[in-house]
Amino acid sequence: MRRLKLNRAFTLIEPGPVVLVTTHDGRKNNVMTISWTMVVDFTPLFAITTGEWNHSFAALRKYRECVVAVPTVDLLDEVVGIGTCSGADTDKFARFNLTPVRGKFVKAPLIKECLANIECKVIDIVRKHNIVVLEGLAAYMDTARKERRTIHAVGDGTFIVDGRRLNRRKMMLSKIPEGI
Amino acid sequence: MRRLKLNRAFTLIEPGPVVLVTTHDGRKNNVMTISWTMVVDFTPLFAITTGEWNHSFAALRKYRECVVAVPTVDLLDEVVGIGTCSGADTDKFARFNLTPVRGKFVKAPLIKECLANIECKVIDIVRKHNIVVLEGLAAYMDTARKERRTIHAVGDGTFIVDGRRLNRRKMMLSKIPEGI
């Protein structure tokens, strides 16, 4: 994994892929599947929707850090499996053969098998709406990875895989942040 | 456009497509391109990130309603065009040949050319993070439309088009809300 410039990290989340969010509770790693995410600022800031119903939430609230990892379509069954069992009774890293990698800023692990990882700290929890606001501290990309298509959860049990990419950069230059 | 059951409306936004958000300021219609969106609840509740930098924000704050419309790939140039000019000096419905359609609950118009539309009221504005929380009141789908592939903004001037759809419904049954 190579460091990705932090000002590009929002481009990992803006397209709306399903992500894996890892935490560390002082004793062990955990990971959850989240498809309710949003970029909030280029700096980068991200929002995710989660709450008490996710076992990871306690660690997120207590340690105020996590890693947002972006899986690709070859990991779909792992993504679904992670989303349908609980860290309360399952070591998900072991069960789904994920390799935890030590980050630079947070104790929550990066996931080696993912296309990209973002180390994050929790900067706010909007309890009224179950919205957790994250600040990205460092981003990484597996530039050697061949499969780079991410997956978009529909919410009905189906997933849309990335198709072709269209370029409208010239039309949009006024709106693209400098250096992107 | 046909009514879509409201409990399915979250499935329009969960995959993370770029959307158009319409408003009505008491005098005229406006529309903005938003790719920073998130489902917050199945009921459905949605979050979008916007603020004073968008001309539409004043109408959104004052009238507390909008329509979230989901365009498809054949509308990409309109989506980019709408996102790179301002309602302050442009009638975007006229300029981009969009047909406003009267909804049932809000004065902001549906967009006839879009695949889907969701009438929404603003239920909260989290000013600290520029997050606007919307409640869906009614949803519509153009079931006759042939092009149904949505588009995902990357943020660097490129867009990813929906590719194939994979089904993991059986694996996920425990997590899919009833009736979906």
Side-chain angles (χ1 to χ4, degrees), chain A residues 84, chain B residues 169-176:
Chain A
T84 49
Chain B
R169 204 168 157 82
K170 275 187 196 165
M171 277 179 78
M172 277 187 67
L173 273 183
S174 65
K175 290 286 180 177
I176 301 172

Side-chain angles (χ1 to χ4, degrees), chain B residues 71-88:
Chain B
T72 44
V73 63
D74 49 318
L75 295 170
L76 176 58
D77 289 334
E78 286 80 357
V79 167
V80 174
I82 289 163
T84 50
C85 69
S86 172

Side-chain angles (χ1 to χ4, degrees), chain B residues 43-171:
Chain B
T43 45
L45 296 182
F46 308 104
I48 66 175
T49 299
T50 183
E52 313 282 0
W53 63 86
N54 279 129
H55 183 70
S56 301
F57 185 68
L60 202 56
R61 188 172 43 186
K62 183 168 178 190
Y63 294 95
R64 301 187 80 81
E65 51 182 46
C66 66
V67 167
V68 176
V70 182
T72 44
V73 63
D74 49 318
L75 295 170
L76 176 58
D77 289 334
E78 286 80 357
V79 167
V80 174
I82 289 163
T84 50
C85 69
S86 172
D89 55 20
T90 308
D91 176 347
K92 300 200 209 179
F93 272 83
R95 177 159 169 191
F96 297 103
N97 295 309
L98 301 178
T99 312
V101 175
R102 187 84 172 83
K104 192 173 158 68
F105 296 100
V106 305
K107 289 202 172 112
L110 315 180
I111 301 176
K112 182 169 182 281
E113 288 74 16
C114 283
L115 171 64
N117 283 272
I118 310 169
E119 293 189 69
C120 295
K121 67 176 177 185
V122 173
I123 63 162
D124 200 7
I125 299 181
V126 184
R127 291 304 294 262
K128 187 175 168 191
H129 302 296
N130 301 303
I131 292 173
V132 178
V133 183
L134 306 174
E135 180 180 355
L137 304 176
Y140 307 84
M141 178 75 95
D142 182 352
T143 50
R145 212 171 194 300
K146 282 195 178 158
E147 180 59 81
R148 300 172 81 87
R149 291 174 301 162
T150 68
I151 38 187
H152 305 263
V154 174
D156 61 356
T158 66
F159 294 82
I160 295 165
V161 184
D162 285 351
R164 57 193 293 232
R165 190 183 284 243
L166 302 175
N167 192 323
R168 291 296 183 278
R169 204 168 157 82
K170 275 187 196 165
M171 277 179 78

Side-chain angles (χ1 to χ4, degrees), chain A:
Chain A
M1 280 185 283
R2 288 207 187 163
R3 282 290 280 274
L4 176 75
K5 279 189 185 162
L6 197 55
N7 67 349
R8 292 193 61 87
F10 80 96
T11 66
L12 300 171
I13 303 304
E14 179 156 332
V18 60
V19 299
L20 300 175
V21 176
T22 79
T23 48
H24 184 84
D25 70 0
R27 215 163 46 88
K28 55 186 182 4
N29 297 324
N30 194 14
V31 54
M32 61 179 164
T33 298
I34 293 277
S35 55
W36 295 0
T37 72
M38 171 170 75
V39 179
V40 178
D41 201 350
F42 296 109
T43 45
L45 296 181
F46 307 104
I48 66 175
T49 299
T50 183
E52 314 281 0
W53 63 86
N54 278 130
H55 183 68
S56 300
F57 185 68
L60 202 56
R61 186 171 47 184
K62 183 168 179 189
Y63 294 95
R64 300 186 81 81
E65 52 182 47
C66 65
V67 167
V68 176
V70 182
T72 44
V73 62
D74 49 317
L75 294 170
L76 176 58
D77 288 333
E78 286 80 356
V79 166
V80 173
I82 289 163
T84 49
C85 69
S86 172
D89 54 22
T90 308
D91 176 347
K92 299 199 209 180
F93 273 82
R95 177 159 167 189
F96 297 103
N97 294 309
L98 301 177
T99 313
V101 176
R102 188 83 172 85
K104 192 173 159 67
F105 296 100
V106 305
K107 289 204 171 110
L110 315 180
I111 301 175
K112 182 170 182 283
E113 288 74 16
C114 283
L115 171 64
N117 284 271
I118 310 169
E119 293 189 70
C120 294
K121 68 175 176 187
V122 173
I123 63 161
D124 200 7
I125 299 180
V126 184
R127 291 303 294 263
K128 187 176 167 189
H129 302 296
N130 301 303
I131 292 173
V132 177
V133 183
L134 306 173
E135 180 180 356
L137 304 175
Y140 308 84
M141 178 75 95
D142 182 351
T143 51
R145 212 173 195 298
K146 283 195 177 156
E147 180 58 80
R148 299 171 83 85
R149 292 174 299 162
T150 68
I151 37 185
H152 304 264
V154 175
D156 61 357
T158 67
F159 294 82
I160 295 166
V161 184
D162 284 352
R164 56 193 294 231
R165 189 183 285 241
L166 301 175
N167 192 322
R168 291 296 183 277
R169 204 169 157 81
K170 277 187 194 161
M171 278 179 77
M172 278 188 64
L173 273 184
S174 65
K175 291 286 180 177
I176 301 172
E178 211 169 330
I180 300 301

